[in-house]
């Protein structure tokens, strides 16, 4: 800081906050006069206000006002008074804060007045008074530009961009953000430059480019972290992007983390209310209406005390949405009136989310049998289908579908469902991440259910099959986008393997370092996942041509030949089975979906115990399987024919079913597929040239040495070489290089399924875990893959009806078929099953047929994909 100009201290506050703190304290320690001391106190107040204790900030700023008054400088006093006004408002003392800002605006002139108007505009934006904020900025921006006050003019343009975003004007907002960033480029204002990157992320989000938004917000976070300046509005922005990407749980955890940090720092009450609001949105989207209502209610009370009507009404919207989403709570007549009044208030405030209030009012009116009222509100909500971002337009098509259903107009209903799903599909194609592809389908779930419900009533099983397939395991139909060849990402994946290896050793030894290694692993996982979320999709030129429903179903029936396909469909809590074969599709009712889920969990729990018994009771296994079969297949079990091959296509929530336990499948070749479309694609996957076979033995697997060596001997007897990786050579890079483009890969390694983050599910190799993220980097997937470890075929149900796990990573890349387990495996009894499987494969049998002949009494392994 220049001793000649103490004002440099204020310029330093955001650029170099640590230096500013030291300089302010030094200036006060020097015994400077009231003018200079007021600057030092103001700097300390800003630092506390933005990055620390808000009450301490107000104390420092009140002191600064008194010092400025003593100095006799009216200009100095009005500047500090405006800073104090913002701090008071952020503490929840809205009237006092606005009063201070009004006084400062009245007393100031020239450039100081323009800076005060900018601050008052910021206060009005916080309060949701967008028109008044723009009025102040109309005076402030030209004055600051004319005065060549670069930093403050850039800040004012940034604020104007945020106000315009709140009003739905995305393009003008983006233009303001870009201009502000260009202006800040030559300056040393690192904090403001980081804010500019953050704002570009917000603009990218509003234009629908979520991978770019996530990358920019991550960049901004790194910049703020290097400056030591926590930014709570960045937390809010990131949560909004995570919600749009379908990462609701991540958003809720992020918001809760921000709330905890804010409480420790005794930070701004205004920020607390905003964080509570975004946490409420995240809880609602993640299926937790009770938490959503609780958080939104607290936010609304805070907003009301802060006189922030715009924000308060948005919190009220979530309170009502949460109440309506709560299971087994009948719609209240009073709730309809509240929703209708809320829609009117949001319209008066110019909120872009007014359509959500109309949609809510329409839903409540339908539940109460008020058809006329429902029609009026749903029509208003449906207007948004022609404007705004893809996700909002899809919401408009949902409103239109509800209107059509209420009016009994099936053609209009199916058209609305089709148009809404097409928009969501277009939105999904911007993602390169398989996780985001899967999660983004959740918004289309209700559209699909509306169509399924109609087709079920109409008795149209062929069209019901086509509509179910339209939104089942769709992420596998999108061509995989490999993450860019990023040396840093590869290094992080290697570091993650090393951290996992060290952590396992520390736990085994009972070392005190285990806790620190756990934190290192979590940090590395977060960075790996973030890098993949930034990957952009490959947008296709024009719209993808969609075959007619009859064409797709006809191709499926032709491909089945003499076999059968059973597609399980849950509609309104009832599980149906669409049995395909002999040129027809027939529907059968299996029973309640809740019962099927409960029986699957019961069977899995019993199998976990039986897996460790040398000779499990076959009578108990039969009874367990018969009970499970009644719940998931119902009468279809008796209609499958004599040992005809079968393809089972369950909903994602039933994919962990131990299908080999069912009596009707014990002696039948069968394969399990995420969707009928995925089965067709896998079936047509060409075999690679060369026919390379790779066998891998991971560490610590009992009987694995015998398993891989006897399999190698089988292929040697057929004059076919098999590459063997074991005894320290089975590292992740070596295994990935070996299996890339192979005909058949067999991995005998311990597996771990991660329900919390399915793509971190792994196989344990000599240098640590091989995860789904590693497998996604393959150029060509192995044609067939055998995983002889526990739970290696498990996948997590996400999105509308999607799956994530090791198997889906490979199926998306083009693996035709996988043999894996969905329950624990007895390592010793698995060996003869694996030998029998490979004996069948070397003799030319398909995966399902070879597994059927090798299975014996084993119920652990299934074939996934095409058999």
């Amino acid at each position: 800081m220049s001793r000649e100009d103490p004002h440099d201290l204020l310029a330093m506050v955001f650029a170099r906050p640590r230096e500013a703190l030291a300089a302010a304290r030094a200036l006060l320690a020097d015994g400077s006069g009231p003018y200079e001391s007021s600057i030092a106190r103001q700097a300390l107040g800003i630092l506390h206000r933005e990055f620390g204790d808000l009450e301490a900030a107000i104390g420092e700023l009140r002191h600064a006002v008194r010092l400025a008054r003593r100095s006799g400088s009216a200009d100095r006093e009005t500047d500090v008074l405006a800073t104090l006004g913002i701090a008071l408002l952020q503490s929840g003392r809205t009237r006092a804060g606005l009063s201070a800002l009004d006084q400062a605006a009245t007393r100031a002139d020239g450039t100081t007045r323009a800076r005060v108007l900018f601050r008052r505009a910021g206060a009005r934006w916080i309060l949701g008074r967008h028109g008044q904020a723009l009025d102040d900025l109309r005076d402030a921006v030209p004055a600051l530009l004319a005065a060549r006050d670069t930093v403050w003019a850039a800040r004012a343009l940034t604020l104007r961009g945020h106000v315009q975003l709140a009003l739905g004007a995305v393009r003008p907002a983006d233009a303001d953000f870009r201009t502000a960033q260009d202006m800040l480029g030559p300056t040393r204002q690192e904090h403001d430059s980081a804010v500019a990157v953050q704002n570009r992320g917000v603009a990218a989000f509003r234009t629908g480019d979520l991978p770019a938004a996530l990358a920019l917000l991550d960049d901004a976070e790194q910049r703020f972290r290097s400056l030591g300046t926590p930014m709570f509005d960045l937390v809010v922005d990131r949560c909004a992007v995570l919600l749009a990407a379908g990462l609701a749980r991540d958003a809720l955890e992020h918001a809760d983390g921000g709330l905890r940090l804010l409480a420790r720092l005794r930070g701004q009450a205004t920020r607390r209310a905003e964080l509570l609001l975004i946490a409420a949105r995240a809880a609602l989207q993640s299926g937790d209406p009770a938490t959503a209502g609780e958080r939104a209610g607290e936010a609304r009370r805070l907003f009301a005390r802060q006189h922030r009507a715009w924000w308060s009404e948005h919190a009220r919207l979530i309170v009502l949405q949460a109440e309506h989403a709560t299971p087994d709570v009948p719609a209240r007549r009073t709730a309809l009136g509240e929703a209708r009044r809320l829609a009117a208030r949001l319209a008066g405030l110019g909120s872009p989310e007014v359509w959500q209030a109309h949609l809510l009012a329409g839903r409540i009116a339908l539940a109460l049998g008020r058809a006329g009222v429902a029609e009026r509100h749903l029509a208003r909500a449906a207007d948004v289908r022609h404007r705004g971002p893809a996700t909002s337009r899809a919401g408009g098509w949902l409103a239109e579908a509800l209107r059509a259903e209420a009016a009994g107009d099936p053609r209009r209903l199916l058209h609305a469902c089709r148009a809404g799903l097409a928009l969501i599909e277009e939105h999904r194609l911007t993602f390169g991440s398989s996780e985001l592809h899967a999660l983004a389908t959740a918004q289309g779930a209700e559209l699909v259910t509306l169509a399924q419900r109609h087709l079920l009533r109409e008795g149209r099983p062929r069209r019901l099959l086509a509509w179910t397939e339209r939104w089942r395991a769709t992420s596998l139909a999108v061509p995989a986008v490999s993450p860019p060849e990023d040396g840093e990402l590869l290094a992080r994946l290697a570091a993650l393997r090393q951290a996992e290896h060290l952590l396992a050793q520390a736990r085994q030894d009972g070392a005190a370092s285990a806790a620190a290694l756990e934190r290192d692993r979590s940090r590395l996982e977060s960075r790996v996942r973030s890098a993949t979320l930034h990957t952009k999709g490959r947008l296709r030129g024009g719209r993808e041509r969609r075959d007619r429903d009859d064409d797709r179903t006809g191709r499926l029936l032709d491909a089945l030949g003499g076999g059968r396909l059973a597609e399980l469909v849950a509609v309104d809590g009832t599980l149906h089975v669409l049995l395909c074969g002999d040129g027809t599709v027939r529907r059968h009712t299996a029973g309640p979906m809740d019962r099927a889920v409960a029986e699957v969990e019961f069977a899995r729990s019993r199998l976990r115990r039986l897996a460790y018994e040398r000779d499990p009771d076959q009578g108990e296994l039969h009874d367990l399987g018969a009970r499970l079969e009644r719940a998931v297949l119902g009468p279809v079990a008796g209609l499958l024919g004599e040992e005809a091959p079968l393809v089972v296509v369950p909903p994602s929530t039933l994919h962990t079913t131990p299908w080999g336990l069912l009596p009707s499948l014990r002696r039948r070749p069968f394969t399990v597929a995420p969707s009928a479309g995925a089965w067709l694609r896998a079936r047509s996957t060409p075999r690679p040239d060369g026919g390379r076979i790779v066998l891998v033995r991971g560490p610590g697997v009992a009987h694995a040495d015998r398993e891989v060596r006897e399999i190698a001997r089988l292929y040697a007897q057929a004059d076919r070489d098999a590459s063997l990786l074991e005894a320290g050579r089975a590292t992740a890079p070596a295994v990935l290089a070996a299996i890339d483009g192979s005909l058949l890969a067999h991995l005998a390694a311990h597996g771990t399924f991660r329900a919390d983050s399915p793509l971190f599910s792994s196989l344990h190799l000599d240098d640590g875990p091989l995860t789904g993220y590693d497998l996604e980097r393959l150029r060509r997937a192995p044609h067939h893959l055998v995983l002889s470890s526990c739970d290696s075929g498990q996948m997590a149900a996400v999105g509308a009806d999607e799956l994530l796990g090791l198997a889906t990573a490979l199926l998306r890349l083009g693996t035709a078929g996988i043999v894996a387990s969905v329950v624990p495996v007895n390592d010793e009894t698995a060996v003869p099953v694996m030998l029998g499987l490979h004996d069948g494969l070397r003799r030319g049998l398909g995966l399902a047929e070879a597994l059927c002949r090798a299975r014996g009494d084993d119920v652990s392994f299934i074939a996934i994909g095409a058999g």
Side-chain angles (χ1 to χ4, degrees), residues 319-627:
V319 169
L320 290 175
Q321 287 173 326
E323 179 183 307
H324 186 70
T326 301
D328 304 320
V329 175
R332 296 183 293 111
R333 291 186 179 277
T334 53
L336 177 58
E338 290 170 20
R340 297 177 72 179
R341 289 189 292 274
L342 177 62
R345 288 195 296 269
L346 288 174
L349 291 167
S351 169
E353 296 181 15
V354 63
W355 70 271
Q356 293 192 35
H358 283 298
L359 177 60
L360 177 63
R363 287 183 187 278
I364 296 171
L366 286 175
L368 293 171
R370 302 280 298 279
V373 175
E375 164 62 23
R376 288 193 294 276
H377 284 284
L378 291 174
R380 296 288 299 277
D383 287 344
V384 80
R385 70 191 187 276
H386 299 304
R387 63 178 185 274
T391 50
S392 296
R393 283 181 284 149
W397 281 112
L398 172 60
E400 177 66 13
L402 290 169
R403 288 179 70 201
E405 183 184 48
D409 188 339
R411 288 178 64 87
R412 202 169 109 216
L413 167 65
L414 294 179
H415 171 72
C417 293
R418 196 176 291 115
L421 292 177
L423 276 171
I424 299 169
E425 178 66 14
E426 184 180 306
H427 170 62
R428 291 171 63 232
L429 288 176
T430 64
F431 303 141
S433 159
S434 57
E435 181 179 5
L436 294 185
H437 266 296
L439 291 168
T441 60
Q443 192 180 7
E446 188 173 1
L447 288 165
V448 172
T449 298
L450 287 169
Q452 288 174 323
R453 185 183 296 145
H454 162 69
L455 295 168
L456 195 59
R457 284 195 302 261
E458 294 288 308
R460 307 282 294 277
R462 284 179 73 112
R463 296 199 69 190
L464 178 58
L465 172 66
W467 269 92
T468 301
E469 281 290 302
R470 185 183 289 269
W471 215 240
R472 174 169 285 184
T474 55
S475 61
L476 299 182
V478 179
V481 177
S482 297
E485 285 301 323
D486 183 345
E488 186 176 353
L489 176 58
L490 290 173
R492 285 174 179 168
L493 285 166
L496 178 59
R497 280 190 290 276
Q498 179 66 8
E500 183 71 47
H501 185 74
L502 293 173
L503 177 59
Q505 190 65 49
R507 284 173 173 165
Q508 182 178 330
D509 298 340
S513 60
L517 289 168
E518 183 82 52
R519 289 193 294 272
D520 286 345
R521 184 187 69 171
S522 296
R523 176 177 51 81
L524 286 165
E525 284 185 350
S526 177
R527 290 181 178 178
V528 167
R529 185 165 176 254
S530 289
T532 60
L533 294 180
H534 299 168
T535 307
K536 291 193 176 186
R538 293 172 183 160
L539 289 172
R540 301 168 187 170
R543 290 188 177 274
E544 179 187 9
R545 184 183 69 84
R546 283 197 173 273
D547 298 329
R548 292 187 304 112
D549 293 345
D550 286 345
D551 293 340
R552 291 197 299 275
T553 305
R555 281 206 313 275
L556 172 64
L557 293 171
D558 288 344
L560 286 171
R564 299 285 186 273
L565 182 143
E567 180 129 355
L568 282 62
V569 185
V571 183
D572 293 331
T574 299
L575 184 63
H576 305 270
V577 183
L578 300 176
L579 185 59
C580 309
D582 295 330
T584 65
V585 181
R586 293 185 173 87
R587 184 191 65 80
H588 304 271
T589 301
M593 183 64 176
D594 287 348
R595 188 183 72 181
V597 171
E599 290 296 341
V600 168
E601 285 308 305
F602 177 73
R604 288 176 57 79
S605 69
R606 297 295 292 162
L607 288 174
R608 276 192 285 272
R609 179 181 63 80
L610 293 171
Y612 301 103
E613 295 184 8
R614 181 178 295 273
D615 295 307
D617 185 336
Q618 291 301 313
E620 180 181 357
L621 284 174
H622 182 276
D623 292 345
L624 190 62
R627 177 174 165 174

Side-chain angles (χ1 to χ4, degrees), residues 183-206:
M183 292 172 68
L184 289 166
T187 72
R188 295 187 64 199
Q189 294 293 321
E190 287 89 347
H191 181 275
D192 285 284
S193 295
V195 170
V197 174
Q198 175 185 346
N199 291 332
R200 283 182 54 212
V202 174
F205 162 52
R206 291 301 181 91

Side-chain angles (χ1 to χ4, degrees), residues 267-349:
Q268 303 163 6
T270 51
R271 289 285 183 243
R272 174 171 174 75
E274 291 161 21
L275 284 167
L276 283 167
L277 181 62
I278 199 72
R281 284 181 178 151
L284 185 63
Q285 190 168 311
S286 60
D288 187 354
T291 299
E294 181 182 302
R295 301 283 174 84
E298 185 180 352
R300 186 170 182 244
R301 289 189 290 275
L302 284 171
F303 288 135
R305 287 202 293 270
Q306 296 162 9
H307 304 283
R308 300 171 70 184
W310 193 89
W311 294 89
S312 180
E313 298 301 348
H314 285 79
R316 180 60 179 156
L317 173 61
I318 297 178
V319 169
L320 290 175
Q321 287 173 326
E323 179 183 307
H324 186 70
T326 301
D328 304 320
V329 175
R332 296 183 293 111
R333 291 186 179 277
T334 53
L336 177 58
E338 290 170 20
R340 297 177 72 179
R341 289 189 292 274
L342 177 62
R345 288 195 296 269
L346 288 174
L349 291 167

